Amino acid sequence: MLKTVDIDDLRTKKENQTFDRKSARIEAKALAVVLIAMANADGGIVALGIEDDGKVSGIDGMSGHINELLRVSYDYCVPSLLVTPEYLDVVDCNGNANHVILLHVAQSSHVHASSSDEVYYRVGDKSKRLNFEQRTQLVYAKGDRYYEDVPVVDATLEDIDFNLLKEYLDTIGYNKGCDAFLQENGYVRKVENFRGALHNVPTGAAVLLFSNNPQRFFQRARVRVIRYEGTEERFGTEMNVVKDEVFAGNVLSMTNQTLAFVKTQIKEHTYLGKDGRFVTVMQYPEFCWMELIVNAIAHRDYSILGTDIQVKIFDDHLTVESPGILPGLVRPYNIREMHFSRNPKIAQYMHAYKLVKEYGEGVDRIFSEMAEVGNPAPEYRQTEFMVSATIRQHTDYSIEQDSDYNGVKDGVKEHIDIQQIIVELLKNNNSLSAMDLAQKTGMGFRTVQRYLSQLQRKNLIKRVGGRKTGYWVVVEQTDYE
């Protein structure tokens, strides 16, 4: 309920995801569309008695029709909605005392339809009617049903790797056997075959977790990792993709492969500490980028079959894109406090393998750890059917690649220190490439090449062999100047 309301604000406020104006002459079925769309999305307020152009026409003198509108949430919505009316005293456009009703629509944890069985969802200032596929996705997102529990019709128990299943049962300490586990925990469903006989069919969760090839049934249930050069995605002749890898397999294998690869792509910043020793820190706290990826795999909408999870790595930020809207009542503005699992079986499985480290508290810890190292807060965005999460590095880690002076600004401030860092890294691993050194130091690729050339001219390092199979030799002297 609003404590105080300025009628001029209601007249001039831009209609959006959570606010709409409607004439009191609106038909009951048309009002139901708006109420349903808001309840299915983020909730909102409908100002009844204000025209689309902002003119205050009021509701007085229309008691019969107004009563019908107030019953819309019961008579035209299935199931009924929680809508709370608030009456405001106003002066209408004719200068007369009148009233406006604010209909406060609660965000719902269920999917609501009209009396004609149509489902709507609020997108911006529009109430969009959902097609069958979108409606089904919303049902799963709200938790009215779980897609992971739907039987995979073309799969059989032969598609389950019982060694993988047995390993999981050992991990969680379940000792009744594989068949009992599948039955008791809903990993199989009875489905009628073409002869009318019932037989056990594995569910989506069973296939995704315990099959060696779940992509046979969920082709895009995979993670694509793209490493870009620079700070933005470019296309065509300016395409700046450095690496593009796809990881598939069952959830555990896919997750571990993805995390291992991304770790090789996260920059490390090496600098001289106050004690004169070299210090290496990652561009982002390890927990933060790992948790983003694990969350995307655990909570993605697997009913969206046409796209995969994408991890996009740039020089100064990392973005994880996951198919589906945020589940339940979770929204970008409450994501630190509100928790809801779209795929509870998959989430429980990943928790058993300690991939979900902070059950129900991981997002809040991401915010905390990013703040602790001085990085900006994570950014969560939701489009129509995609969620993205972005973490960014602190500006103190930025590298000016065209300057004669380059280096990590937190500790390494001298040209000579950068040469020392490169030499020290090559002492520890003489097979490092220029790209490897760029990732470890946070410098640009061309900048590293320039320093390598300087060190070779000074006879401080030597190259033996070719670019791919060769190695570095460090000359034992310290004249870096």
Side-chain angles (χ1 to χ4, degrees):
M1 300 287 287
L2 294 179
K3 298 297 183 184
T4 59
V5 178
D6 188 332
I7 189 63
D8 288 333
D9 287 344
L10 296 176
R11 289 179 55 249
T12 59
K13 182 178 180 179
K14 185 178 180 180
E15 294 180 336
N16 57 31
Q17 182 89 0
T18 58
F19 177 73
D20 206 343
R21 283 183 291 270
K22 293 300 177 186
S23 167
R25 298 185 302 275
I26 188 173
E27 292 184 3
K29 288 185 178 181
L31 179 60
V33 168
V34 181
L35 301 183
I36 289 167
M38 286 186 172
N40 283 336
D42 300 332
I45 296 174
V46 178
L48 196 60
I50 304 178
E51 307 296 319
D52 288 339
D53 61 5
K55 184 172 67 175
V56 179
S57 52
I59 64 168
D60 289 2
M62 307 172 62
S63 59
H65 183 61
I66 295 300
N67 286 335
E68 183 183 8
L69 295 182
L70 293 175
R71 293 198 305 270
V72 161
S73 61
Y74 299 98
D75 296 343
Y76 293 89
C77 304
V78 182
S80 60
L81 305 178
L82 177 59
V83 177
T84 305
E86 178 184 5
Y87 290 82
L88 302 179
D89 295 324
V90 299
V91 175
D92 64 26
C93 56
N94 296 318
N96 300 319
N98 210 316
H99 295 89
V100 164
I101 300 178
L102 298 185
L103 298 176
H104 296 263
V105 185
Q107 181 188 28
S108 179
S109 59
H110 300 287
V111 175
H112 297 266
S114 68
S115 55
S116 56
D117 198 34
E118 292 180 330
V119 173
Y120 297 86
Y121 193 86
R122 190 76 172 176
V123 180
D125 61 351
K126 305 295 182 185
S127 298
K128 178 179 177 180
R129 184 167 66 87
L130 303 185
N131 60 32
F132 177 79
E133 181 180 354
Q134 293 166 336
R135 178 175 179 169
T136 302
Q137 290 165 359
L138 185 61
V139 167
Y140 295 133
K142 292 280 189 179
D144 280 353
R145 284 188 293 159
Y146 295 113
Y147 184 72
E148 65 174 5
D149 290 336
V150 175
V152 181
V153 177
D154 294 333
T156 69
L157 290 178
E158 293 181 356
D159 293 299
I160 301 301
D161 185 332
F162 282 86
N163 290 325
L164 285 176
L165 177 56
K166 181 63 166 58
E167 179 183 316
Y168 176 58
L169 299 188
D170 291 342
T171 300
I172 63 175
Y174 185 93
N175 54 17
K176 295 182 182 180
C178 293
D179 290 338
F181 174 82
L182 293 175
Q183 295 284 351
E184 289 180 4
N185 294 277
Y187 281 94
V188 293
R189 289 284 190 268
K190 294 289 186 181
V191 175
E192 191 175 282
N193 63 20
F194 68 97
R195 294 176 178 173
L198 294 176
H199 65 294
N200 287 323
V201 173
T203 63
V207 170
L208 289 165
L209 298 178
F210 307 123
S211 170
N212 280 317
N213 185 23
Q215 285 71 33
R216 176 185 168 196
F217 308 98
F218 302 94
Q219 186 175 3
R220 301 296 289 273
R222 59 191 192 183
V223 182
R224 182 183 178 192
V225 182
I226 311 170
R227 178 74 170 91
Y228 296 90
E229 182 178 15
T231 59
E232 62 182 4
E233 186 176 355
R234 296 195 293 270
F235 305 92
T237 57
E238 296 184 344
M239 182 175 289
N240 57 330
V241 174
V242 177
K243 291 183 181 292
D244 190 343
E245 301 286 341
V246 174
F247 301 96
N250 58 66
V251 163
L252 182 61
S253 173
M254 178 173 65
T255 303
N256 286 333
Q257 289 181 72
T258 301
L259 295 178
F261 177 74
V262 171
K263 188 170 186 177
T264 68
Q265 303 303 305
I266 301 293
K267 290 181 180 179
E268 294 177 334
H269 299 283
T270 303
Y271 61 92
L272 288 176
K274 293 180 180 180
D275 61 356
R277 296 183 179 183
F278 288 102
V279 178
T280 299
V281 296
M282 297 193 76
Q283 190 175 14
Y284 318 104
E286 184 175 67
F287 175 87
C288 298
W289 61 264
M290 290 181 66
E291 186 74 2
L292 290 185
I293 294 170
V294 169
N295 281 347
I297 296 172
H299 302 302
R300 75 155 281 178
D301 188 341
Y302 286 98
S303 73
I304 299 177
L305 303 177
T307 189
D308 42 27
I309 295 169
Q310 295 196 3
V311 180
K312 297 181 177 181
I313 306 172
F314 300 87
D315 286 353
D316 65 346
H317 68 281
L318 179 149
T319 295
V320 180
E321 297 177 346
S322 182
I325 62 174
L326 289 165
L329 302 182
V330 180
R331 296 295 182 268
Y333 63 83
N334 66 10
I335 198 165
R336 294 186 70 170
E337 299 84 21
M338 186 69 69
H339 311 295
F340 186 93
S341 179
R342 175 186 275 112
N343 308 303
K345 287 186 174 65
I346 295 175
Q348 185 179 26
Y349 172 91
M350 297 182 84
H351 182 57
Y353 281 102
K354 303 188 184 306
L355 290 168
V356 177
K357 297 182 177 63
E358 301 283 338
Y359 208 39
E361 300 177 0
V363 173
D364 186 57
R365 182 174 164 186
I366 294 175
F367 277 84
S368 298
E369 291 209 6
M370 290 291 284
E372 285 176 9
V373 298
N375 284 2
E379 303 164 16
Y380 286 86
R381 291 187 175 87
Q382 177 175 282
T383 57
E384 193 168 344
F385 286 100
M386 183 71 72
V387 174
S388 69
T390 298
I391 52 176
R392 299 182 184 275
Q393 68 179 27
H394 193 282
T395 53
D396 283 353
Y397 292 148
S398 63
I399 304 299
E400 299 176 8
Q401 295 190 17
D402 294 328
S403 171
D404 287 337
Y405 160 64
N406 265 287
V408 179
K409 295 181 180 179
D410 186 10
V412 181
K413 298 183 180 295
E414 300 295 334
H415 176 83
I416 186 173
D417 291 341
I418 301 169
Q419 295 181 357
Q420 288 178 322
I421 289 172
I422 292 175
V423 169
E424 191 70 21
L425 290 169
L426 293 179
K427 282 182 180 179
N428 293 331
N429 184 352
N430 65 1
S431 64
L432 291 174
S433 67
M435 182 61 73
D436 295 330
L437 291 167
Q439 292 173 354
K440 286 182 174 296
T441 61
M443 293 186 288
F445 176 72
R446 291 188 296 275
T447 300
V448 169
Q449 287 184 313
R450 186 162 67 245
Y451 275 110
L452 288 172
S453 297
Q454 292 173 2
L455 290 167
Q456 288 180 88
R457 287 197 301 270
K458 295 176 183 179
N459 198 34
L460 296 173
I461 60 173
K462 294 181 180 180
R463 183 70 181 178
V464 177
R467 180 171 62 88
K468 292 186 177 181
T469 59
Y471 58 92
W472 297 99
V473 173
V474 176
V475 180
E476 291 299 330
Q477 60 184 65
T478 58
D479 183 15
Y480 292 101
E481 297 182 358

